[in-house]
Amino acid sequence: MNLGHLSDLYRQLILDHAQHPHHRGQLATANQTVNLNNPTCGDVIELSVELKNDRVADIAFNGDGCSISQASASMMTDLVKGQPIAQVRAEIATFLEMLMNDPEVEGADELGDAAILATVVKFPARIKCATLAWKALEQALGEAQQHE
Amino acid sequence: MNLGHLSDLYRQLILDHAQHPHHRGQLATANQTVNLNNPTCGDVIELSVELKNDRVADIAFNGDGCSISQASASMMTDLVKGQPIAQVRAEIATFLEMLMNDPEVEGADELGDAAILATVVKFPARIKCATLAWKALEQALGEAQQHE
Amino acid sequence: MVKDIATARNDFPILSQQINGQPLTYLDNAATTQKPRSVIDALTHYYEFDNANIHRGVYTLAERATEQYEQVRQQVADFIHADRDEIVFTRGTTTSLNWIALGFGAQVLQPGDDIIITVMEHHSNLVPWQQVALQTGANLRYVELTADGELDLAQYRQLLSKKTKIVAFTHVSNVLGTINPVQLMTQLAHEVGAYVVVDGAQAVGHFPVDMTSLDCDFYAFSGHKVYGPTGVGVLYGKREWLKKMNPVEFGGEMINLVQREITDFKAAPEKFEAGTMPIAQVIGLGAALTYIQKIGWSTIETQERRVTAAAYQLLKEIPGVEIYGPEMGPHRSALVTFNLKGVHPHDLATVLDTQGVAVRAGHHCAQPLMQTLGVSATTRASFGLYNQLSDVKRLAAAVRAAKEFFQV
Amino acid sequence: MVKDIATARNDFPILSQQINGQPLTYLDNAATTQKPRSVIDALTHYYEFDNANIHRGVYTLAERATEQYEQVRQQVADFIHADRDEIVFTRGTTTSLNWIALGFGAQVLQPGDDIIITVMEHHSNLVPWQQVALQTGANLRYVELTADGELDLAQYRQLLSKKTKIVAFTHVSNVLGTINPVQLMTQLAHEVGAYVVVDGAQAVGHFPVDMTSLDCDFYAFSGHKVYGPTGVGVLYGKREWLKKMNPVEFGGEMINLVQREITDFKAAPEKFEAGTMPIAQVIGLGAALTYIQKIGWSTIETQERRVTAAAYQLLKEIPGVEIYGPEMGPHRSALVTFNLKGVHPHDLATVLDTQGVAVRAGHHCAQPLMQTLGVSATTRASFGLYNQLSDVKRLAAAVRAAKEFFQV
Ligand SMILES: Cc1ncc(COP(=O)(O)O)c(C=O)c1O
Ligand SMILES: Cc1ncc(COP(=O)(O)O)c(C=O)c1O
């Protein structure tokens, strides 16, 4: 059976992140938590974020989902941990633009491992899986702003 | 313009009844009145009936409708006035059967002028017009029975 | 691209048919329109190539169906100048108006509040408000008609007050053909803080309708009256009101999370779309809007105005014919409702049918208006983009023949 | 006439298509079924020859459309052994169930009454009752599962009491495939004076369903799941309860008389059918039922049982596959829901799609059941009359390939 096409989606890097996701768990120091779900498939993410001095000082996630959503969360946490909030916001925007409109969006190369997820665009039904964690983070930062 | 076909529906007898309906009005002596309407077109009939000694002692109708419904009411009142209730019930059944199932139903020839309305069967959209008065009478007799 | 309107008729397969030995003269477009080949083909294509349940599957067909469905949402939004998340799909105008009344009206109305409607409403924009009034203790107020069949705006202004919570009225009357001044009426209603609900069933498809300029809060129309399939309609609501409005039907797909005792709903428009939607019909509606755009507004408006004016004129010339509603002019849309003295509308419609002319006879689901007009029934000829002067001539000839036949 | 089932596939145009270079193996029939040529043709024919609004016109087209529409009402009645005035057309199962909950449930429920549903309900037969419970102050009680994925009837008997007003459950679970004992459960519910509402979305079309023997009070199903068009469903109610039930939507055609302040409604079923109904879709549903009857129940049941048993067997043989619901046997209908250990259903479905195999992955609009099963999602293969052993072999091969690909 020829599954060659599939390797576009399930690159080794994605599978590695999915099987051994980074920053899984809950943060004792979190000052923002967001639960978000993908109602189509039931994927759930619980994101906890510690914001300090205008930075994402620490971040972790829990929840249950397919390899794309797990890998995406893992890559995202790698990327944003320690970064200034303003930069994180820009990266979220770039990532969502990459997946929802333009796989070759400018700045994609600054997304770290997550840049590889541009490949998901070829599997439209899976885009929501890839964006779930990022939307949760967007929401966490949005709520943080409201509290200021 | 060839309207020949139409003369099947609008026989002279029907037009005569429609233009000069018999027993129009309200009965001062009525002990049953029924208002019924044909919601499709808005035709309305107000039937008043005097039942006495198991007979339709007197009957009259008011209301507004097309020539078929007016003629049918006129013919019906001609037929049933003075008749025993049991006979009237049978005639209603025959009439409804004639229009809704079988234009050649047995007993149609005992319906007086109303027998001519068998022709309406060829104009299915008009059957409800022809049956309105008869259904009102059926209801009047039914209600009378319940009061007994 | 502007199409030649004379050939538009050929786009509609049903119109090539003979009825009672006569070419079909279909003049009941206000009840439902006929469907162009492209709409029928879109339905067939959907069922032959793309049919799958939407928003649910990760497989190819499901993705295709979902994408087409959501594209039509965007198309409808563009068509009426709104945003995609302001467009909810329903079964038709009737469902849209009921949901607005029950999901929004019931929520904002307090006992003693006023709901203003008009005497020219179709039952679908009347009975729901009557029921919500009964349920909430609100009062139903009616805008009356002027002598020439338009809404009495002076009386409308008088009715408006701080107590007015909702104003609901039709964009175009399905009996009188009156085009109501939506923009002005909305502005006046907004001045007293009322929400405005517009029944667009007889407007959409006849002329462009623009939510940004009308500024009403809710708008409803049906697919089957704009050359699309039966079984689909549209509910437009301003974003902030859809957010506030409660869903009226509950089930699959409109939820974020269902637990045994509580449910968390999605955001609008999804929160209103419970269970399997009329997917094929939404896609068919998309094809219908594309068809309308292909013909072009100016062509449609010009043709319908020409045909309506001719019908108005030819019928008026027949002695014994009485026409209802405003004079032929900018306030009259594409229909003419009339009576022939001495002939009941039902009898008239039967005569017309023998000539292949399909018109509607009856109360047109507007009984309070019939009472106001002092008639029990009327005859209505209503036009679509494919009607031509020849149709109108056949109509007038058949009315004259009926007159002779009944010797009135 | 019994048709050869091996050729039935040819009746469905969509099935001859290739997906990702593979023949389409459509195994998402529980979400929606594909449509035979005869249904697509019936829709086309309606729009090309008979399209008109029903119950309204005295002209030929309107009469034709009305007659066909009403004939399908009789056909549906015959199909489920009911009377024509017990058949209401709706948009689908979801609408049917909502109308029962809102139009009937809300009327009979008092604070403190019990509504019994089950943990295997689809959201469409769960959320409406949850909402009506909130609205009326009634309590929602759940029938739990036995270890083998059937309803716990002992616990059901315990739940039943004089306080039980409504028992609502699915005829066939859309996740477990369990066929519930409707007749027995109805009898027990009737003994305590409760009304019984059955969700037949996954039953109708797979085996004969008989209202006289089931004896439930209400029954709901969707056209699109029985090879008919989207946008149409059926609400069956016993005559006396439909008489009692309130309409939920108001508008044209369902009224006897509308006056400014009050409205008099028609009798059932008309009182529920407000506005323009999905006329073409009702006629398409008629064609679908005709198609089912042409194939014949015994052919359909034999084929679906064979295919389901094979799927059950072939999947079970794959190490790491866990199947949910009852053993293969008389209590299992035409679907198999499973998980492959170490591979998320979404990922599995994507792999299957590359092989042309369309299955559903997710919570199947049954989140409380997912919680009970202790999973967040599952993969479901569900069958229709056109599925064959070759489809099942493709499914199993693709699952094995996924297992290899993900090295689990
Ligand atoms: C058991 C069950 N009930 C109800 C429904 C809802 O049916 P529909 O989406 O056609 O309204 C479905 C289908 O998704 C189902 O499987
Ligand atoms: C003015 C108006 N409003 C509402 C409706 C109801 O539309 P539908 O029957 O498509 O729900 C109609 C059509 O009959 C109408 O003419």
Side-chain angles (χ1 to χ4, degrees):
Chain A
M1 200 167 274
N2 176 12
L3 298 182
H5 176 51
L6 270 183
S7 315
D8 284 356
L9 181 61
Y10 296 107
R11 304 277 182 92
Q12 196 53 47
L13 184 61
I14 296 178
L15 291 177
D16 288 347
H17 272 278
Q19 269 149 31
H20 307 286
H22 309 165
H23 309 105
R24 260 199 85 101
Q26 255 179 328
L27 286 189
T29 55
N31 47 20
Q32 288 297 323
T33 58
V34 166
N35 288 323
L36 209 64
N37 75 337
N38 176 343
T40 315
C41 60
D43 281 5
V44 188
I45 187 165
E46 298 167 30
L47 193 68
S48 44
V49 189
E50 185 196 0
L51 302 176
K52 214 162 61 186
N53 304 330
D54 289 334
R55 285 181 179 267
V56 175
D58 205 353
I59 184 164
F61 76 99
N62 248 329
D64 200 74
C66 64
S67 56
I68 304 298
S69 75
Q70 294 292 302
S72 181
S74 173
M75 292 163 167
M76 178 188 81
T77 51
D78 275 0
L79 176 68
V80 303
K81 187 169 167 182
Q83 286 187 339
I85 290 180
Q87 184 180 349
V88 173
R89 277 192 217 280
E91 286 163 354
I92 295 173
T94 303
F95 183 83
L96 295 179
E97 177 66 16
M98 174 175 89
L99 276 175
M100 304 208 280
N101 280 317
D102 176 10
E104 321 225 308
V105 65
E106 209 178 319
D109 48 350
E110 275 145 45
L111 294 174
D113 285 0
I116 203 177
L117 289 168
T119 181
V120 176
V121 171
K122 281 187 251 163
F123 297 78
R126 307 304 300 280
I127 292 172
K128 276 189 193 159
C129 309
T131 55
L132 187 64
W134 302 72
K135 289 199 167 155
L137 182 55
E138 187 177 40
Q139 203 166 306
L141 299 183
E143 283 174 10
Q145 196 166 38
Q146 276 163 18
H147 292 177
E148 275 160 21
Chain B
M1 201 168 270
N2 176 12
L3 299 181
H5 177 49
L6 270 184
S7 315
D8 285 356
L9 180 61
Y10 295 107
R11 304 275 182 93
Q12 196 53 48
L13 185 61
I14 296 178
L15 292 177
D16 287 348
H17 272 278
Q19 269 148 31
H20 308 286
H22 310 166
H23 309 106
R24 259 199 87 101
Q26 254 179 330
L27 285 188
T29 55
N31 47 21
Q32 288 296 325
T33 59
V34 166
N35 288 323
L36 209 63
N37 73 337
N38 176 343
T40 316
C41 59
D43 280 6
V44 188
I45 188 165
E46 299 167 29
L47 194 67
S48 45
V49 189
E50 185 196 0
L51 302 176
K52 211 161 64 183
N53 305 330
D54 290 332
R55 286 182 179 265
V56 176
D58 205 354
I59 184 165
F61 76 99
N62 249 329
D64 200 74
C66 64
S67 57
I68 303 298
S69 76
Q70 294 293 302
S72 181
S74 172
M75 291 164 168
M76 179 188 81
T77 51
D78 274 359
L79 176 69
V80 303
K81 186 170 167 182
Q83 286 187 338
I85 289 178
Q87 185 180 348
V88 173
R89 277 192 217 281
E91 287 162 354
I92 294 173
T94 303
F95 183 84
L96 294 179
E97 177 67 16
M98 173 175 91
L99 275 176
M100 303 209 282
N101 279 317
D102 175 11
E104 321 225 308
V105 64
E106 209 178 317
D109 49 349
E110 274 146 44
L111 294 175
D113 286 358
I116 203 177
L117 290 169
T119 181
V120 176
V121 171
K122 281 187 251 162
F123 297 79
R126 307 304 301 278
I127 291 173
K128 275 189 194 159
C129 308
T131 56
L132 185 65
W134 301 73
K135 288 197 168 156
L137 182 55
E138 187 177 41
Q139 204 167 306
L141 300 181
E143 282 173 13
Q145 197 166 37
Q146 279 163 17
H147 292 178
E148 274 160 20
Chain C
M1 178 198 123
V2 176
K3 260 195 80 139
D4 183 3
I5 199 70
T7 66
R9 190 182 162 96
N10 303 334
D11 299 336
F12 294 77
I14 202 172
L15 297 179
S16 62
Q17 157 175 204
Q18 300 243 320
I19 294 283
N20 297 318
Q22 307 286 335
L24 170 58
T25 301
Y26 185 75
L27 301 178
D28 196 16
N29 292 285
T32 199
T33 53
Q34 299 304 339
K35 321 305 172 199
R37 160 86 36 228
S38 61
V39 167
I40 302 171
D41 285 350
L43 293 170
T44 303
H45 188 275
Y46 173 75
Y47 286 127
E48 290 190 354
F49 291 95
D50 307 326
N51 177 62
N53 217 323
I54 53 171
H55 297 142
R56 299 190 178 191
V58 300
Y59 55 86
T60 305
L61 286 187
E63 193 52 35
R64 259 192 231 155
T66 304
E67 200 176 310
Q68 288 175 45
Y69 179 89
E70 290 300 335
Q71 263 172 11
V72 177
R73 199 193 300 280
Q74 186 63 55
Q75 189 184 2
V76 170
D78 295 344
F79 194 81
I80 64 170
H81 300 261
D83 287 328
R84 72 163 284 288
D85 58 351
E86 297 176 319
I87 303 298
V88 179
F89 290 117
T90 67
R91 176 167 63 83
T93 305
T94 300
T95 302
S96 300
L97 292 169
N98 274 274
W99 287 7
I100 297 164
L102 207 60
F104 190 83
Q107 192 187 143
V108 300
L109 286 163
Q110 301 289 332
D113 282 350
D114 283 347
I115 304 168
I116 299 182
I117 66 173
T118 87
V119 298
M120 63 165 76
E121 294 316 305
H122 186 280
H123 293 161
S124 292
N125 199 30
L126 192 159
V127 188
W129 298 112
Q130 210 182 54
Q131 299 297 316
V132 164
L134 288 174
Q135 184 189 323
T136 59
N139 300 309
L140 202 57
R141 311 268 174 214
Y142 282 87
V143 182
E144 307 290 337
L145 299 186
T146 61
D148 52 350
E150 304 197 15
L151 288 178
D152 184 341
L153 293 179
Q155 186 233 349
Y156 171 59
R157 283 175 199 264
Q158 278 166 14
L159 284 179
L160 285 167
S161 79
K162 287 244 159 66
K163 294 202 306 187
T164 312
K165 279 283 146 41
I166 290 187
V167 177
F169 57 92
T170 193
H171 197 157
V172 173
S173 161
N174 67 317
V175 175
L176 303 170
T178 319
I179 303 177
N180 291 315
V182 176
Q183 206 171 7
L184 171 65
M185 290 176 71
T186 299
Q187 193 189 316
L188 293 172
H190 283 169
E191 277 168 18
V192 299
Y195 299 101
V196 175
V197 179
V198 177
D199 172 355
Q202 297 297 342
V204 179
H206 294 284
F207 49 81
V209 164
D210 180 339
M211 291 307 117
T212 54
S213 72
L214 294 182
D215 197 33
C216 56
D217 299 292
F218 295 96
Y219 196 91
F221 67 96
S222 295
H224 72 98
K225 294 192 201 268
V226 298
Y227 313 105
T230 57
V232 61
V234 171
L235 186 174
Y236 157 86
K238 280 186 182 164
R239 184 178 291 109
E240 53 187 319
W241 310 140
L242 287 189
K243 192 168 173 184
K244 184 167 175 172
M245 180 168 151
N246 295 321
V248 174
E249 291 190 8
F250 306 96
E253 298 309 304
M254 46 81 77
I255 55 89
N256 268 327
L257 182 65
V258 176
Q259 288 173 309
R260 288 191 176 200
E261 308 302 334
I262 52 160
T263 294
D264 178 33
F265 302 117
K266 284 187 189 164
E270 285 82 7
K271 79 171 167 190
F272 300 104
E273 299 186 352
T276 303
M277 294 298 292
I279 307 168
Q281 293 74 39
V282 165
I283 288 164
L285 172 60
L289 299 186
T290 301
Y291 180 80
I292 289 174
Q293 281 162 326
K294 211 180 72 182
I295 300 287
W297 281 126
S298 78
T299 309
I300 293 173
E301 290 183 87
T302 308
Q303 178 69 3
E304 289 190 357
R305 207 172 305 119
R306 189 169 7 145
V307 166
T308 308
Y312 192 92
Q313 189 55 37
L314 288 179
L315 288 169
K316 212 175 139 161
E317 284 167 3
I318 301 173
V321 164
E322 179 175 9
I323 295 178
Y324 304 95
E327 295 283 301
M328 191 60 220
H331 293 180
R332 173 179 280 275
S333 185
L335 61 88
V336 180
T337 296
F338 63 99
N339 265 330
L340 174 60
K341 199 159 179 249
V343 180
H344 190 278
H346 243 183
D347 295 314
L348 182 59
T350 294
V351 175
L352 267 49
D353 186 44
T354 64
Q355 304 305 310
V357 178
V359 296
R360 175 100 182 274
H363 56 59
H364 315 289
C365 297
Q367 289 181 336
L369 176 58
M370 294 292 120
Q371 282 151 26
T372 305
L373 296 177
V375 295
S376 67
T378 60
T379 311
R380 179 186 70 195
S382 56
F383 309 106
L385 62 85
Y386 36 66
N387 286 123
Q388 303 181 354
L389 292 182
S390 55
D391 292 328
V392 171
K393 286 185 194 149
R394 278 207 197 86
L395 164 69
V399 172
R400 285 183 187 272
K403 199 169 142 65
E404 253 175 58
F405 181 81
F406 288 110
Q407 299 171 4
V408 291
Chain D
M1 178 196 125
V2 176
K3 259 196 80 138
D4 184 2
I5 199 71
T7 65
R9 191 180 160 94
N10 303 334
D11 298 336
F12 293 77
I14 203 173
L15 297 178
S16 62
Q17 156 174 208
Q18 300 242 321
I19 293 285
N20 295 318
Q22 307 285 335
L24 170 59
T25 301
Y26 185 76
L27 301 178
D28 196 17
N29 292 285
T32 199
T33 54
Q34 299 304 339
K35 320 306 172 198
R37 160 82 40 225
S38 62
V39 167
I40 301 172
D41 285 350
L43 294 170
T44 303
H45 187 275
Y46 172 74
Y47 286 127
E48 289 190 353
F49 292 95
D50 307 326
N51 177 61
N53 218 324
I54 54 171
H55 297 143
R56 298 189 179 191
V58 300
Y59 55 88
T60 305
L61 286 188
E63 193 52 36
R64 259 192 231 157
T66 304
E67 200 175 311
Q68 289 175 45
Y69 179 89
E70 289 301 335
Q71 264 172 11
V72 178
R73 199 194 300 280
Q74 186 62 55
Q75 190 185 1
V76 170
D78 295 345
F79 194 82
I80 63 170
H81 300 261
D83 288 327
R84 73 163 285 287
D85 58 350
E86 297 176 319
I87 304 298
V88 179
F89 289 117
T90 68
R91 176 167 62 85
T93 304
T94 300
T95 302
S96 299
L97 293 168
N98 273 275
W99 286 9
I100 297 165
L102 206 60
F104 190 83
Q107 191 186 143
V108 300
L109 287 163
Q110 301 289 332
D113 282 348
D114 283 348
I115 304 168
I116 298 182
I117 66 171
T118 87
V119 297
M120 64 167 76
E121 295 315 306
H122 186 281
H123 294 161
S124 292
N125 198 31
L126 193 159
V127 188
W129 299 112
Q130 209 182 55
Q131 299 297 317
V132 164
L134 288 174
Q135 182 188 325
T136 59
N139 299 308
L140 201 57
R141 311 267 175 216
Y142 281 86
V143 182
E144 306 289 338
L145 299 186
T146 62
D148 51 351
E150 304 197 15
L151 288 178
D152 183 342
L153 292 180
Q155 185 233 351
Y156 171 58
R157 281 174 200 266
Q158 279 165 13
L159 283 179
L160 285 167
S161 79
K162 286 245 158 68
K163 292 202 307 189
T164 313
K165 278 284 143 42
I166 290 189
V167 177
F169 57 92
T170 192
H171 196 158
V172 172
S173 161
N174 67 317
V175 176
L176 303 169
T178 319
I179 303 176
N180 290 316
V182 176
Q183 206 170 6
L184 171 65
M185 290 176 71
T186 299
Q187 194 188 317
L188 293 172
H190 282 170
E191 277 168 17
V192 300
Y195 299 100
V196 175
V197 179
V198 177
D199 172 356
Q202 295 297 342
V204 179
H206 295 284
F207 49 81
V209 164
D210 180 339
M211 292 305 117
T212 54
S213 71
L214 294 182
D215 198 32
C216 56
D217 300 293
F218 295 95
Y219 196 91
F221 68 97
S222 296
H224 71 98
K225 294 191 200 268
V226 299
Y227 312 106
T230 56
V232 61
V234 171
L235 187 174
Y236 157 85
K238 282 186 180 163
R239 183 177 293 109
E240 53 189 319
W241 309 140
L242 286 189
K243 193 167 171 182
K244 183 167 175 170
M245 181 168 150
N246 295 321
V248 174
E249 289 189 8
F250 306 95
E253 298 309 302
M254 47 82 77
I255 55 91
N256 268 327
L257 182 65
V258 175
Q259 288 173 309
R260 288 192 175 199
E261 309 302 334
I262 53 160
T263 294
D264 178 34
F265 302 118
K266 285 187 188 167
E270 284 82 7
K271 80 171 164 188
F272 299 104
E273 299 185 353
T276 303
M277 294 297 294
I279 307 168
Q281 293 74 39
V282 165
I283 288 164
L285 172 59
L289 299 185
T290 301
Y291 181 80
I292 289 174
Q293 281 163 327
K294 211 181 73 182
I295 301 285
W297 281 125
S298 78
T299 310
I300 294 173
E301 289 183 87
T302 308
Q303 178 69 2
E304 289 191 356
R305 208 174 301 118
R306 188 163 16 137
V307 167
T308 309
Y312 191 92
Q313 189 54 38
L314 288 179
L315 288 170
K316 210 175 142 164
E317 283 166 4
I318 301 173
V321 164
E322 179 175 9
I323 295 178
Y324 303 96
E327 296 283 301
M328 190 60 221
H331 292 182
R332 173 179 279 277
S333 184
L335 62 88
V336 180
T337 295
F338 63 100
N339 265 330
L340 174 61
K341 200 160 179 251
V343 180
H344 190 278
H346 243 183
D347 294 314
L348 183 59
T350 294
V351 176
L352 267 49
D353 186 44
T354 63
Q355 305 304 312
V357 178
V359 296
R360 175 99 183 271
H363 56 59
H364 315 289
C365 297
Q367 289 181 335
L369 175 59
M370 294 292 118
Q371 282 150 26
T372 304
L373 296 176
V375 295
S376 68
T378 60
T379 311
R380 179 184 69 192
S382 55
F383 309 106
L385 61 86
Y386 36 67
N387 287 122
Q388 302 182 355
L389 292 182
S390 55
D391 292 328
V392 170
K393 284 184 195 148
R394 277 208 199 87
L395 165 68
V399 172
R400 283 184 189 273
K403 197 169 143 67
E404 253 174 61
F405 181 82
F406 289 109
Q407 300 170 5
V408 293

